[in-house]
Amino acid sequence: MRFEHETLAQRVRFATGEAPAALCAEVQRLGGSRVMVIASDSEAALEVAADVPVVRHHHEVVMHVPVASAERARTAAAEAKADVLVSVGGGSTTGLAKAVALTSGLPVVAVPTTYAGSEATSVWGLTEGARKSTGADARVLPRAVVYDAALTLTLPVALSVASGLNALAHCVDSLWAPRTDPIDQALAAEGIRALAAGLPAVVADPNGLPGREQMLYASYLAATAFSSAGSGLHHRICHVLGGAFDLPHAQTHAVVLPYVLAFNAAAAPEAERRIADAFGAATALDGLQELRRAVDAPRALRDHGLDEADIDDAVTAVLEAVPAGNPREATADGLRRLLRAAWEGADPAVVTVGKN
């Protein structure tokens, strides 16, 4: 066994019902006296920053973090002379805070209210025109994360399902991503196990905390693995779809995941077996599909804004973004079959046969 693994420096506080006190402690630890809170109008109503020295509230949160939106947030932070950024919300909110940190170096304390996982990675993303650019930079990694499952109770079940499957995609991609290692794979496998337990529990009891705690725990493991392993084929596809066609982030990941799993599984038998074992299923795809049926997962890209006429353009863009070392060669024909099946909501098995 020979590998190199870098663990990111980050403090994590997991305490259901204690977000305000935990956030205040983390801001104090960073010496913050002029805090800019980034939160949408709905998330701002949670008032988790009531005891923090806030000098600016910034509510313009836009999916996929358009460059113009990021510039306005950067200007707001500079005008307020902020010394700490607090993000309260999902991946788009955390992503906006990261965009500010990327150019300012300001520390971020993240308070997630979904299972997006952006809070545990050093990955940033910005969209300009029809192209989403991503990168990794230590400056954008939140210095601290405050996890409070009670803050996710307002997340509707359908969004909880999509967000949870987005976290599951982090796990699956981490098992064969360009920089994957045994530590990433162990975190990813445990993340899959916890998500497979937590997601049905949230659907069965939306107001219960145990399932949502499992979901937050799993989303952190998933994101930590993903940040180390890098972006695999699944995420390259979804970044293209989100940036070019403005598709909703979590729902796109939820739809595309079984098709990428079906596409790669036979070419990555060890990873496939780990996924299957984590699900407690005969095969990885069987386990995923059983979970998706149990939680009524999003089924087709056409339901979320992708036009059939856009498929060929998407194939061309994805071909340019396929990561090195993907277990199976990704050709235009193979990707077209994958995307068409995802657009239709067809049986994922159709992408396991035929030419790449």
Side-chain angles (χ1 to χ4, degrees):
M1 186 180 292
R2 181 174 296 170
F3 64 91
E4 294 181 0
H5 178 87
E6 182 176 350
T7 300
L8 300 178
Q10 185 180 69
R11 181 178 172 88
V12 174
R13 296 178 70 119
F14 203 108
T16 298
E18 300 177 15
L23 175 60
C24 190
E26 290 306 316
V27 169
Q28 289 176 353
R29 189 175 65 87
L30 291 169
S33 61
R34 299 184 63 82
V35 175
M36 183 166 99
V37 176
I38 298 175
S40 68
D41 290 331
S42 59
E43 305 293 3
L46 295 171
E47 297 185 347
V48 297
D51 299 326
V52 170
V54 178
V55 294
R56 184 72 172 258
H57 289 276
H58 188 83
H59 301 312
E60 185 197 341
V61 176
V62 183
M63 189 171 60
H64 303 304
V65 194
V67 168
S69 177
E71 290 295 343
R72 286 190 287 272
R74 290 164 176 167
T75 298
E79 289 177 348
K81 297 183 172 57
D83 55 12
V84 172
L85 303 171
V86 168
S87 65
V88 183
S92 296
T93 307
T94 309
L96 182 59
K98 286 181 170 184
V100 177
L102 183 65
T103 56
S104 68
L106 290 173
V108 177
V109 180
V111 185
T113 61
T114 72
Y115 313 112
S118 177
E119 69 279 356
T121 81
S122 59
V123 177
W124 56 266
L126 291 166
T127 302
E128 187 167 24
R131 182 174 292 274
K132 184 170 185 177
S133 300
T134 61
D137 193 300
R139 291 174 294 181
V140 310
L141 177 73
R143 303 285 183 86
V145 184
V146 174
Y147 287 112
D148 182 343
L151 299 180
T152 70
L153 290 174
T154 58
L155 190 66
V157 168
L159 287 179
S160 296
V161 168
S163 186
L165 290 171
N166 179 21
L168 187 60
H170 289 138
C171 294
V172 171
D173 238 11
S174 294
L175 286 162
W176 48 50
R179 301 189 305 274
T180 190
D181 63 44
I183 295 174
D184 300 330
Q185 293 161 3
L187 292 172
E190 171 61 5
I192 293 170
R193 184 209 62 77
L195 284 162
L199 195 47
V202 169
V203 173
D205 182 12
N207 294 317
L209 289 171
R212 292 186 181 272
E213 287 181 332
Q214 284 292 302
M215 295 286 288
L216 281 179
Y217 162 67
S219 68
Y220 172 73
L221 294 177
T224 302
F226 176 72
S227 188
S228 171
S231 182
L233 179 63
H234 171 89
H235 280 78
R236 300 297 179 89
I237 290 172
C238 291
H239 285 164
V240 166
L241 295 175
F245 306 106
D246 199 30
L247 303 191
H249 182 82
Q251 290 87 342
T252 300
H253 282 269
V255 170
V256 170
L257 179 58
Y259 299 98
V260 176
L261 176 57
F263 185 84
N264 273 345
E270 188 172 326
E272 192 278 338
R273 176 45 41 196
R274 294 192 74 150
I275 297 168
D277 289 346
F279 278 125
T283 71
L285 188 58
D286 285 346
L288 175 59
Q289 291 297 79
E290 182 178 349
L291 175 63
R292 285 171 51 80
R293 285 190 292 271
V295 300
D296 193 22
R299 292 180 175 83
L301 291 176
R302 63 183 173 187
D303 297 334
H304 299 286
L306 186 69
D307 292 333
E308 184 176 12
D310 293 329
I311 292 175
D312 283 344
D313 288 341
V315 168
T316 299
V318 171
L319 271 175
E320 297 176 0
V322 172
N326 189 63
R328 178 178 172 185
E329 182 186 4
T331 65
D333 285 344
L335 290 173
R336 186 174 294 105
R337 188 164 59 252
L338 187 160
L339 287 173
R340 175 163 290 281
W343 179 81
E344 294 175 351
D347 183 348
V350 301
V351 306
T352 67
V353 298
K355 297 180 181 180
N356 287 339

Short mmCIF file of all heavy atoms in Angstrom, two decimals, residues 3 42 75 98 123 157 164 227-228 236 240 268 275 336 353 355:
data_model
loop_
_atom_site.label_atom_id
_atom_site.label_comp_id
_atom_site.label_asym_id
_atom_site.label_seq_id
_atom_site.Cartn_x
_atom_site.Cartn_y
_atom_site.Cartn_z
N PHE A 3 0.40 5.53 -0.76
CA PHE A 3 -0.42 6.67 -1.17
C PHE A 3 -0.06 7.88 -0.34
O PHE A 3 0.63 7.78 0.68
CB PHE A 3 -1.91 6.36 -1.02
CG PHE A 3 -2.37 6.13 0.39
CD1 PHE A 3 -2.84 7.19 1.18
CD2 PHE A 3 -2.34 4.86 0.95
CE1 PHE A 3 -3.26 7.00 2.47
CE2 PHE A 3 -2.76 4.66 2.26
CZ PHE A 3 -3.21 5.72 3.02
N SER A 42 -34.81 33.56 3.57
CA SER A 42 -35.44 32.50 4.36
C SER A 42 -34.49 31.96 5.42
O SER A 42 -34.91 31.67 6.56
CB SER A 42 -35.90 31.36 3.44
OG SER A 42 -34.81 30.82 2.73
N THR A 75 -17.69 43.31 -2.78
CA THR A 75 -17.78 44.75 -2.53
C THR A 75 -18.44 45.02 -1.18
O THR A 75 -18.00 45.87 -0.40
CB THR A 75 -18.55 45.44 -3.66
OG1 THR A 75 -17.86 45.26 -4.89
CG2 THR A 75 -18.71 46.93 -3.38
N LYS A 98 -17.37 31.44 -0.11
CA LYS A 98 -16.07 31.00 -0.63
C LYS A 98 -15.56 31.97 -1.70
O LYS A 98 -14.35 32.26 -1.77
CB LYS A 98 -16.19 29.60 -1.23
CG LYS A 98 -16.30 28.48 -0.20
CD LYS A 98 -16.39 27.15 -0.91
CE LYS A 98 -16.27 25.99 0.04
NZ LYS A 98 -16.25 24.69 -0.66
N VAL A 123 -13.01 23.49 -2.44
CA VAL A 123 -13.41 23.66 -3.84
C VAL A 123 -14.32 24.88 -3.96
O VAL A 123 -15.24 25.05 -3.17
CB VAL A 123 -14.13 22.41 -4.37
CG1 VAL A 123 -14.61 22.63 -5.80
CG2 VAL A 123 -13.21 21.19 -4.28
N VAL A 157 -39.13 17.67 2.39
CA VAL A 157 -38.69 16.30 2.15
C VAL A 157 -38.10 16.14 0.76
O VAL A 157 -37.04 15.51 0.58
CB VAL A 157 -39.85 15.32 2.37
CG1 VAL A 157 -39.48 13.92 1.85
CG2 VAL A 157 -40.21 15.24 3.85
N GLY A 164 -29.63 14.97 -0.18
CA GLY A 164 -28.99 13.77 0.32
C GLY A 164 -28.37 12.93 -0.78
O GLY A 164 -27.27 12.36 -0.62
N SER A 227 -13.32 16.19 -1.34
CA SER A 227 -12.32 17.26 -1.40
C SER A 227 -10.93 16.70 -1.62
O SER A 227 -10.10 17.30 -2.30
CB SER A 227 -12.36 18.09 -0.11
OG SER A 227 -11.54 19.24 -0.23
N SER A 228 -10.66 15.54 -1.05
CA SER A 228 -9.35 14.91 -1.21
C SER A 228 -9.23 14.15 -2.53
O SER A 228 -8.22 14.25 -3.23
CB SER A 228 -9.11 13.95 -0.04
OG SER A 228 -7.96 13.16 -0.25
N ARG A 236 -18.18 16.16 -13.06
CA ARG A 236 -17.87 16.90 -14.28
C ARG A 236 -19.13 17.05 -15.14
O ARG A 236 -19.40 18.12 -15.71
CB ARG A 236 -16.77 16.19 -15.07
CG ARG A 236 -15.45 16.04 -14.31
CD ARG A 236 -14.82 17.38 -13.97
NE ARG A 236 -13.59 17.23 -13.22
CZ ARG A 236 -12.37 17.11 -13.75
NH1 ARG A 236 -12.24 17.11 -15.08
NH2 ARG A 236 -11.31 16.98 -12.98
N VAL A 240 -21.19 20.73 -15.85
CA VAL A 240 -21.52 21.19 -17.20
C VAL A 240 -23.02 21.48 -17.31
O VAL A 240 -23.45 22.54 -17.79
CB VAL A 240 -21.10 20.14 -18.24
CG1 VAL A 240 -21.76 20.45 -19.60
CG2 VAL A 240 -19.59 20.11 -18.39
N ALA A 268 -14.82 -0.87 -12.62
CA ALA A 268 -14.22 -0.59 -11.31
C ALA A 268 -14.80 -1.57 -10.30
O ALA A 268 -15.54 -1.19 -9.38
CB ALA A 268 -14.51 0.85 -10.89
N ILE A 275 -19.34 -0.16 -2.68
CA ILE A 275 -20.62 0.53 -2.69
C ILE A 275 -21.74 -0.45 -2.36
O ILE A 275 -22.63 -0.16 -1.55
CB ILE A 275 -20.86 1.20 -4.05
CG1 ILE A 275 -19.80 2.27 -4.32
CG2 ILE A 275 -22.25 1.82 -4.11
CD1 ILE A 275 -19.78 2.79 -5.75
N ARG A 336 -23.41 10.30 -24.84
CA ARG A 336 -24.72 10.63 -25.40
C ARG A 336 -25.77 9.64 -24.91
O ARG A 336 -26.90 10.03 -24.55
CB ARG A 336 -24.66 10.64 -26.93
CG ARG A 336 -25.96 11.12 -27.59
CD ARG A 336 -25.80 11.24 -29.09
NE ARG A 336 -24.86 12.30 -29.45
CZ ARG A 336 -23.62 12.09 -29.89
NH1 ARG A 336 -23.16 10.83 -30.01
NH2 ARG A 336 -22.83 13.09 -30.18
N VAL A 353 -24.19 -1.37 -21.55
CA VAL A 353 -23.97 -2.23 -22.70
C VAL A 353 -23.61 -1.40 -23.92
O VAL A 353 -23.79 -0.19 -23.96
CB VAL A 353 -25.21 -3.08 -23.03
CG1 VAL A 353 -25.53 -4.00 -21.87
CG2 VAL A 353 -26.41 -2.19 -23.33
N LYS A 355 -21.21 0.16 -27.12
CA LYS A 355 -19.94 0.89 -27.21
C LYS A 355 -19.87 1.96 -26.12
O LYS A 355 -20.88 2.43 -25.62
CB LYS A 355 -19.83 1.55 -28.60
CG LYS A 355 -19.78 0.58 -29.75
CD LYS A 355 -19.68 1.33 -31.06
CE LYS A 355 -19.65 0.37 -32.25
NZ LYS A 355 -19.56 1.11 -33.53
#
